[in-house]
Amino acid sequence: MPQNKKQSDDKIARFESALKAAGLKLTYQRLEIFRELANAADHPTVEILHQRLKNRIPTLSLDTIYRTLATLEQHGLITRVQTAESQAHFELTIPHHHHLICEKCGRITDFDWPAFDNAPLPEKVSSWGKVFHRKAILHGRCLVCQSVLT
Amino acid sequence: MPQNKKQSDDKIARFESALKAAGLKLTYQRLEIFRELANAADHPTVEILHQRLKNRIPTLSLDTIYRTLATLEQHGLITRVQTAESQAHFELTIPHHHHLICEKCGRITDFDWPAFDNAPLPEKVSSWGKVFHRKAILHGRCLVCQSVLT
DNA sequence: TTACTATATAGGAATAATTACTATTCTCCA
DNA sequence: TGGAGAATAGTAATTATTCCTATATAGTAA
């Protein structure tokens, strides 16, 4: 899959220049944490990222992941996903995408909804203030969990 | 405001019968925690509820609030609000309402958006599974925070 | 390259939010 | 009104996250 490889390289390249532009140092840890998140189809937690990365980087500390994610979030490179769980989930910053959340397994799936992105907002909203981002979150049960009892 | 008083009584009455129907005991603490949440215009955290209630109920423990909210959430009477903060926020369960979140002060404001509630979902969603609830979350800056520097 | 300086990391300690434990109290029903 | 089971208060424990500090590293300039 040369196309996916190419896209992945693009992300890394953009990441590297974004770090430089922000005056942040390009460290092995930051690169690998970002790469892991970029390749993850799910929306991993800090703990999960640590599990996945410590094979490659045995000395990687949890604190570094927390710090790195916080730094990258501040610079808009990654986004903290809102869930009702106690552990925070993360994803690359991708505009205009929305979330399906299975209330049984908790998995978060991305989907696009251009009609929602472009729909006019209700009047009350303009009297509240200025909106920068909009997000749709759908809760339900995924096909896998529908086929499971209870 | 006899109308608001009436609505509040209605909520309490429905709450009491919901507890009975669920086989849960009607305790002073549960009633007051629910009442406080029902009257709150904001979306309080456990800590805030505790602050507000301990005037009336000095011995009320944090654990009771945590336990009570968890119980009421399990029975669908209240809802845990998804935010990026570490502390959980709660509200009465009210179908078809959405959230405006100010990225400066963090305050959560409710709004209605019937056009969103009734909009057709993208095709991909039906191949994912079955959707029970949909929610729109708008991030931006409220008028008060717009008038503040930085 | 090499040396320097400021930033980043590892590892462990500390904090914050939430949940568990247990003796006591209270609700509900007979 | 009494008794059984559920709920609470107070505290201890756990979980998620952040802080602290000595060491290591990246980026820069000679």
Side-chain angles (χ1 to χ4, degrees):
Chain A
M1 51 194 77
Q3 182 61 23
N4 287 346
K5 183 64 168 50
K6 177 119 189 316
Q7 290 177 359
S8 177
D9 287 350
D10 280 356
K11 286 179 194 167
I12 300 297
R14 280 199 301 274
F15 175 68
E16 292 182 3
S17 39
L19 280 193
K20 179 168 294 188
L24 296 171
K25 291 185 177 172
L26 176 60
T27 66
Y28 178 50
Q29 290 86 342
R30 284 176 175 166
L31 189 57
E32 290 307 309
I33 291 169
F34 182 84
R35 192 197 305 279
E36 189 63 44
L37 196 55
N39 290 336
D42 52 356
H43 301 71
T45 63
V46 170
E47 201 64 50
I48 289 170
L49 284 171
H50 190 238
Q51 292 293 329
R52 292 179 185 165
L53 284 163
K54 73 181 182 190
N55 296 320
R56 274 187 276 158
I57 317 171
T59 62
L60 184 67
S61 76
L62 267 181
D63 182 44
T64 295
I65 302 182
Y66 276 108
R67 246 185 314 96
T68 299
L69 293 177
T71 302
L72 300 185
E73 187 189 14
Q74 279 164 26
H75 290 83
L77 295 166
I78 65 170
T79 299
R80 186 180 297 262
V81 178
Q82 294 180 7
T83 73
E85 288 174 49
S86 56
Q87 290 164 281
H89 292 252
F90 294 87
E91 66 185 6
L92 289 210
T93 299
I94 304 163
H96 306 313
H97 77 114
H98 305 97
H99 285 161
L100 287 157
I101 302 179
C102 177
E103 63 186 27
K104 180 129 204 310
C105 65
R107 258 189 275 271
I108 302 164
T109 305
D110 293 341
F111 73 101
D112 295 320
W113 195 1
F116 169 78
D117 299 329
N118 300 315
L121 297 173
E123 276 195 21
K124 185 194 168 181
V125 171
S126 50
S127 68
W128 170 83
K130 188 178 288 186
V131 171
F132 302 133
H133 309 289
R134 55 174 82 182
K135 182 146 209 122
I137 298 180
L138 310 185
H139 287 263
R141 190 171 278 219
C142 69
L143 286 181
V144 174
C145 288
Q146 279 182 51
S147 66
V148 175
L149 298 179
T150 73
Chain B
M1 50 195 80
Q3 184 60 21
N4 287 347
K5 182 64 168 51
K6 177 118 191 314
Q7 288 176 0
S8 175
D9 288 350
D10 280 358
K11 285 179 192 166
I12 300 297
R14 281 200 300 275
F15 175 67
E16 292 183 3
S17 40
L19 280 192
K20 182 169 291 186
L24 297 170
K25 291 186 177 171
L26 175 61
T27 66
Y28 177 49
Q29 290 85 344
R30 283 177 176 165
L31 189 57
E32 290 306 310
I33 290 169
F34 182 84
R35 191 196 305 279
E36 189 63 43
L37 197 56
N39 290 335
D42 52 356
H43 301 69
T45 63
V46 170
E47 201 64 49
I48 288 171
L49 284 172
H50 190 239
Q51 292 292 331
R52 293 178 185 168
L53 284 163
K54 75 181 177 190
N55 296 319
R56 273 186 278 158
I57 317 172
T59 62
L60 184 69
S61 76
L62 267 180
D63 180 44
T64 296
I65 303 182
Y66 275 109
R67 248 186 311 96
T68 299
L69 293 177
T71 303
L72 300 185
E73 186 189 15
Q74 278 165 26
H75 290 85
L77 296 166
I78 66 171
T79 299
R80 185 180 299 261
V81 178
Q82 294 179 8
T83 73
E85 290 174 46
S86 57
Q87 290 165 283
H89 291 251
F90 294 87
E91 65 185 7
L92 288 210
T93 299
I94 303 163
H96 306 313
H97 77 114
H98 306 98
H99 285 162
L100 287 159
I101 301 179
C102 176
E103 64 185 26
K104 180 129 205 307
C105 66
R107 257 190 274 271
I108 303 164
T109 305
D110 294 341
F111 73 101
D112 296 320
W113 195 2
F116 169 77
D117 300 329
N118 301 315
L121 296 173
E123 276 196 20
K124 186 193 167 183
V125 171
S126 50
S127 68
W128 170 83
K130 188 178 288 185
V131 171
F132 302 135
H133 310 289
R134 56 174 79 181
K135 182 148 210 122
I137 297 179
L138 310 185
H139 287 263
R141 189 171 278 221
C142 68
L143 286 183
V144 175
C145 289
Q146 279 183 53
S147 65
V148 176
L149 297 179
T150 75

